[in-house]
Structures are given as structure tokens and as C-alpha cells.
């Protein structure tokens, strides 16, 4: 796992009930219908409103149309526009959402390139309840700062 | 009485999946996502997984028969299979995918063919075990 100084041992594990929040929105960007379904249901279980996109271009287009999301789960390998390109575009547009990369286990160099595109965190698939709890905690902190 | 017997049967089948290491903890996480809003979630996920994986496996097997196969293309398909197998907890299938990718990385096509055969074997075994489980 990569992130802003976060490590698996420093994740603050809190129960899902503590972070159920009906005001948070999420965008799941993945070319796999199975992964979109899994992450969709997972996030909805925590009370988030979720939209899905099948590739990076669809995600970028949503933001161009004025959509905004608190959390973006971004797959790396996708057709049309991959996660690295999409993340760079979103950051270039000024998007400040929490963008979290979700990858199959790649070499450290590949995750590094993804992080450098502008991710806040990068995790291996599949996301676990602990990781989602951690991300929601980060979102709540992020929103409380604004 | 009969209902109790069916429940016991389901529980025993489920336990055997973990004992035989066919499935891992991610399967349990899928079960936790099932609720009254999504009562058949696990079955839905596995229906999707089996549908997509069957297509991917066939693509891989077909690609191995062509002369102009590119290792990168093959790895891309295996990468997809890996992501979905990991997400549903298909442990043995995932192990074979990882082994095959390692062999493929070394450019060993014959080894890769053998690996794909093992993958297919574990995949069919998983399917054979889970389909009756969802029907009970």
C-alpha cells in the first residue's frame, strides 16, 4: 500500500457504523463490471452515494460536466483512458477529491508512477472493509478541514 | 427437520471451501455485503465472475494457439483474471494465475501453456463446487 505516510500498520481501524455518512459521494472507475459492482455495494453499505464509470475518460467527462465526488476509486489498467492518465487529467482540472488508486499487485515502479499522477493513496485489489473505513475516516477529516 | 438438514449441508459445504483453501477471507467479506437489499449478492457476484472468467480463459487458450501471440497481450488478460479472482476470494485459481504470470514473465511459453491448463483445472473445480452450493 502506498499513501501519504500511511502504512498497513498505521491504518486506524474503526467500525463501519462509526463512519456511515449519507453526505459523501463516490465514483468507482473500473473497466471490470465485477469490480464496479463490488466496490459499489461496499461503499453503499457505508452510506455513500455511488456512481460508476467504466474507464478513465468517462470519469473525466463526468467532472467536465460539473459532477463532483468526495472519493474516486480509480483502477489503473483500463481501455480508452487508463487510471494514470485520468488521474493526471483530473488533477490538471483542479479536482481536489480524494483519489485512491486500486491495482492488482504490480511492481513497485508501476505503483509509484500511479501515485505520481496525483493519487492520495494506492491499494491492492480488492479493497477490504478496513481500508474503506480508513478512507472514510480520511474523508471526514478532509471535509472537516474545509 | 428438513430445513435444519439443508442448513447443516450448506454450512458443511461452506466450511469445506475454506478447509480445502478453494476460497479465502474475501469470500467471507462478500457474504458480509449480503443483506435484505442484496439478498443474493454472493451468487450474483459469482455468476458474473464465472461468466467473465470463462470468456477470459477461452481468450487466453485461443491466444496460445496463435503463432503471433504477444506476451504483453497474454499478461493483460491474466492480469484481469487475477483482479476478479482475488476479489471473490478464489484462492487456488489466484495462486495458479500468479504462478503462470511468473513463468510468462520469463518468456517460457511452454511453461505458460502448462500454467494455463492448471488455471483451467482449478477454475473448473471451483465452479463445480460452488454451483451446487448456490443451488441448495
Amino acid at each position: 500500500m502506498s499513501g501519504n505516510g500511511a502504512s498497513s500498520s498505521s491504518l486506524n481501524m474503526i467500525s463501519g457504523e462509526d463512519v456511515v455518512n449519507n453526505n459523501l459521494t463516490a465514483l468507482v472507475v473500473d473497466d471490470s463490471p465485477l469490480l464496479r459492482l463490488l466496490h459499489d455495494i461496499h461503499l453503499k453499505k457505508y452510506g455513500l452515494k455511488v456512481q460508476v464509470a467504466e474507464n478513465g475518460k468517462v470519469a473525466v467527462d463526468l467532472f467536465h460536466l460539473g459532477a463532483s465526488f468526495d472519493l474516486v476509486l480509480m483502477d489503473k489498467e483500463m481501455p480508452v483512458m487508463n487510471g494514470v492518465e485520468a488521474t493526471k487529467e483530473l488533477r490538471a482540472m483542479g479536482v481536489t477529491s480524494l483519489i485512491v488508486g486500486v491495482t492488482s499487485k504490480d511492481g513497485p515502479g508501476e505503483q509509484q508512477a500511479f501515485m505520481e499522477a496525483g493519487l492520495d493513496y494506492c491499494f491492492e485489489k480488492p479493497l477490504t472493509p478496513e481500508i474503506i473505513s480508513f478512507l472514510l475516516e480520511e474523508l471526514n477529516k478532509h471535509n472537516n478541514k474545509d | 427437520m428438513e430445513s435444519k438438514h439443508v442448513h447443516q449441508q450448506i454450512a458443511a459445504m461452506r466450511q469445506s471451501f475454506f478447509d480445502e483453501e478453494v476460497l479465502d477471507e474475501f469470500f467471507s467479506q462478500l457474504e458480509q455485503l449480503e443483506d435484505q437489499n442484496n439478498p443474493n449478492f454472493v451468487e450474483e457476484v459469482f455468476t458474473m465472475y464465472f461468466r467473465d472468467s470463462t470468456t477470459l480463459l477461452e481468450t487466453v487458450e485461443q491466444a496460445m494457439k496463435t503463432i503471433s501471440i504477444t506476451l504483453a497481450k497474454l499478461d493483460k488478460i491474466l492480469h484481469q483474471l487475477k483482479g476478479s479472482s482475488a476479489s471473490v476470494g478464489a484462492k487456488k485459481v489466484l495462486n495458479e494465475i500468479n504462478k503462470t504470470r511468473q513463468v510468462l514473465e520469463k518468456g517460457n511459453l511452454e511453461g505458460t501453456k502448462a500454467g494455463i491448463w492448471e488455471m483451467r483445472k482449478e477454475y473448473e473445480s471451483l465452479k463445480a463446487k460452488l454451483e451446487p452450493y448456490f443451488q441448495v
Side-chain angles (χ1 to χ4, degrees), chain A residues 56-68:
Chain A
K57 185 175 183 310
V58 172
V60 168
D61 287 348
L62 278 171
F63 278 91
H64 272 303
L65 290 170
S68 69

PDB file of all heavy atoms in Angstrom, chain A residues 56-68:
ATOM      1  N   GLY A  56     -11.395   5.687 -17.610  1.00  0.00           N
ATOM      2  CA  GLY A  56     -10.939   6.995 -17.167  1.00  0.00           C
ATOM      3  C   GLY A  56     -11.591   8.139 -17.907  1.00  0.00           C
ATOM      4  O   GLY A  56     -11.864   9.201 -17.326  1.00  0.00           O
ATOM      5  N   LYS A  57     -11.863   7.949 -19.196  1.00  0.00           N
ATOM      6  CA  LYS A  57     -12.451   9.035 -19.984  1.00  0.00           C
ATOM      7  C   LYS A  57     -13.870   9.352 -19.497  1.00  0.00           C
ATOM      8  O   LYS A  57     -14.248  10.521 -19.377  1.00  0.00           O
ATOM      9  CB  LYS A  57     -12.486   8.657 -21.471  1.00  0.00           C
ATOM     10  CG  LYS A  57     -12.992   9.814 -22.336  1.00  0.00           C
ATOM     11  CD  LYS A  57     -12.927   9.544 -23.812  1.00  0.00           C
ATOM     12  CE  LYS A  57     -13.367  10.758 -24.634  1.00  0.00           C
ATOM     13  NZ  LYS A  57     -14.641  11.328 -24.214  1.00  0.00           N
ATOM     14  N   VAL A  58     -14.636   8.315 -19.194  1.00  0.00           N
ATOM     15  CA  VAL A  58     -15.998   8.531 -18.675  1.00  0.00           C
ATOM     16  C   VAL A  58     -15.923   9.313 -17.365  1.00  0.00           C
ATOM     17  O   VAL A  58     -16.711  10.232 -17.131  1.00  0.00           O
ATOM     18  CB  VAL A  58     -16.726   7.179 -18.478  1.00  0.00           C
ATOM     19  CG1 VAL A  58     -18.051   7.383 -17.767  1.00  0.00           C
ATOM     20  CG2 VAL A  58     -16.925   6.474 -19.810  1.00  0.00           C
ATOM     21  N   ALA A  59     -14.951   8.961 -16.542  1.00  0.00           N
ATOM     22  CA  ALA A  59     -14.773   9.652 -15.256  1.00  0.00           C
ATOM     23  C   ALA A  59     -14.437  11.126 -15.473  1.00  0.00           C
ATOM     24  O   ALA A  59     -15.050  12.013 -14.860  1.00  0.00           O
ATOM     25  CB  ALA A  59     -13.671   8.972 -14.447  1.00  0.00           C
ATOM     26  N   VAL A  60     -13.483  11.374 -16.355  1.00  0.00           N
ATOM     27  CA  VAL A  60     -13.067  12.759 -16.628  1.00  0.00           C
ATOM     28  C   VAL A  60     -14.240  13.547 -17.221  1.00  0.00           C
ATOM     29  O   VAL A  60     -14.487  14.701 -16.824  1.00  0.00           O
ATOM     30  CB  VAL A  60     -11.845  12.778 -17.576  1.00  0.00           C
ATOM     31  CG1 VAL A  60     -11.575  14.172 -18.106  1.00  0.00           C
ATOM     32  CG2 VAL A  60     -10.609  12.239 -16.845  1.00  0.00           C
ATOM     33  N   ASP A  61     -14.966  12.926 -18.121  1.00  0.00           N
ATOM     34  CA  ASP A  61     -16.124  13.599 -18.738  1.00  0.00           C
ATOM     35  C   ASP A  61     -17.167  13.979 -17.685  1.00  0.00           C
ATOM     36  O   ASP A  61     -17.790  15.043 -17.773  1.00  0.00           O
ATOM     37  CB  ASP A  61     -16.770  12.700 -19.803  1.00  0.00           C
ATOM     38  CG  ASP A  61     -15.933  12.607 -21.072  1.00  0.00           C
ATOM     39  OD1 ASP A  61     -14.966  13.409 -21.226  1.00  0.00           O
ATOM     40  OD2 ASP A  61     -16.216  11.726 -21.910  1.00  0.00           O
ATOM     41  N   LEU A  62     -17.364  13.120 -16.696  1.00  0.00           N
ATOM     42  CA  LEU A  62     -18.327  13.423 -15.622  1.00  0.00           C
ATOM     43  C   LEU A  62     -17.925  14.707 -14.901  1.00  0.00           C
ATOM     44  O   LEU A  62     -18.758  15.573 -14.626  1.00  0.00           O
ATOM     45  CB  LEU A  62     -18.388  12.264 -14.616  1.00  0.00           C
ATOM     46  CG  LEU A  62     -19.272  11.073 -14.993  1.00  0.00           C
ATOM     47  CD1 LEU A  62     -19.078   9.920 -14.021  1.00  0.00           C
ATOM     48  CD2 LEU A  62     -20.747  11.472 -15.038  1.00  0.00           C
ATOM     49  N   PHE A  63     -16.653  14.814 -14.609  1.00  0.00           N
ATOM     50  CA  PHE A  63     -16.174  16.031 -13.925  1.00  0.00           C
ATOM     51  C   PHE A  63     -16.296  17.250 -14.833  1.00  0.00           C
ATOM     52  O   PHE A  63     -16.657  18.340 -14.385  1.00  0.00           O
ATOM     53  CB  PHE A  63     -14.721  15.852 -13.463  1.00  0.00           C
ATOM     54  CG  PHE A  63     -14.590  15.109 -12.159  1.00  0.00           C
ATOM     55  CD1 PHE A  63     -14.438  13.728 -12.138  1.00  0.00           C
ATOM     56  CD2 PHE A  63     -14.617  15.779 -10.950  1.00  0.00           C
ATOM     57  CE1 PHE A  63     -14.322  13.035 -10.941  1.00  0.00           C
ATOM     58  CE2 PHE A  63     -14.488  15.098  -9.736  1.00  0.00           C
ATOM     59  CZ  PHE A  63     -14.343  13.726  -9.740  1.00  0.00           C
ATOM     60  N   HIS A  64     -16.013  17.061 -16.128  1.00  0.00           N
ATOM     61  CA  HIS A  64     -16.153  18.172 -17.092  1.00  0.00           C
ATOM     62  C   HIS A  64     -17.592  18.673 -17.129  1.00  0.00           C
ATOM     63  O   HIS A  64     -17.844  19.865 -17.299  1.00  0.00           O
ATOM     64  CB  HIS A  64     -15.756  17.715 -18.510  1.00  0.00           C
ATOM     65  CG  HIS A  64     -14.306  17.872 -18.804  1.00  0.00           C
ATOM     66  ND1 HIS A  64     -13.642  19.078 -18.703  1.00  0.00           N
ATOM     67  CD2 HIS A  64     -13.379  16.983 -19.223  1.00  0.00           C
ATOM     68  CE1 HIS A  64     -12.354  18.905 -19.031  1.00  0.00           C
ATOM     69  NE2 HIS A  64     -12.167  17.654 -19.352  1.00  0.00           N
ATOM     70  N   LEU A  65     -18.532  17.736 -16.921  1.00  0.00           N
ATOM     71  CA  LEU A  65     -19.954  18.101 -16.955  1.00  0.00           C
ATOM     72  C   LEU A  65     -20.421  18.737 -15.642  1.00  0.00           C
ATOM     73  O   LEU A  65     -21.584  19.084 -15.507  1.00  0.00           O
ATOM     74  CB  LEU A  65     -20.802  16.854 -17.267  1.00  0.00           C
ATOM     75  CG  LEU A  65     -20.685  16.323 -18.687  1.00  0.00           C
ATOM     76  CD1 LEU A  65     -21.361  14.958 -18.821  1.00  0.00           C
ATOM     77  CD2 LEU A  65     -21.309  17.304 -19.691  1.00  0.00           C
ATOM     78  N   GLY A  66     -19.512  18.832 -14.701  1.00  0.00           N
ATOM     79  CA  GLY A  66     -19.857  19.521 -13.462  1.00  0.00           C
ATOM     80  C   GLY A  66     -20.102  18.612 -12.273  1.00  0.00           C
ATOM     81  O   GLY A  66     -20.431  19.088 -11.184  1.00  0.00           O
ATOM     82  N   ALA A  67     -19.945  17.306 -12.465  1.00  0.00           N
ATOM     83  CA  ALA A  67     -20.135  16.388 -11.323  1.00  0.00           C
ATOM     84  C   ALA A  67     -18.978  16.549 -10.353  1.00  0.00           C
ATOM     85  O   ALA A  67     -17.879  16.964 -10.742  1.00  0.00           O
ATOM     86  CB  ALA A  67     -20.213  14.949 -11.818  1.00  0.00           C
ATOM     87  N   SER A  68     -19.245  16.255  -9.117  1.00  0.00           N
ATOM     88  CA  SER A  68     -18.148  16.242  -8.141  1.00  0.00           C
ATOM     89  C   SER A  68     -18.350  15.076  -7.194  1.00  0.00           C
ATOM     90  O   SER A  68     -19.486  14.663  -6.940  1.00  0.00           O
ATOM     91  CB  SER A  68     -18.084  17.561  -7.374  1.00  0.00           C
ATOM     92  OG  SER A  68     -19.201  17.684  -6.530  1.00  0.00           O
TER      93      SER A  68
END
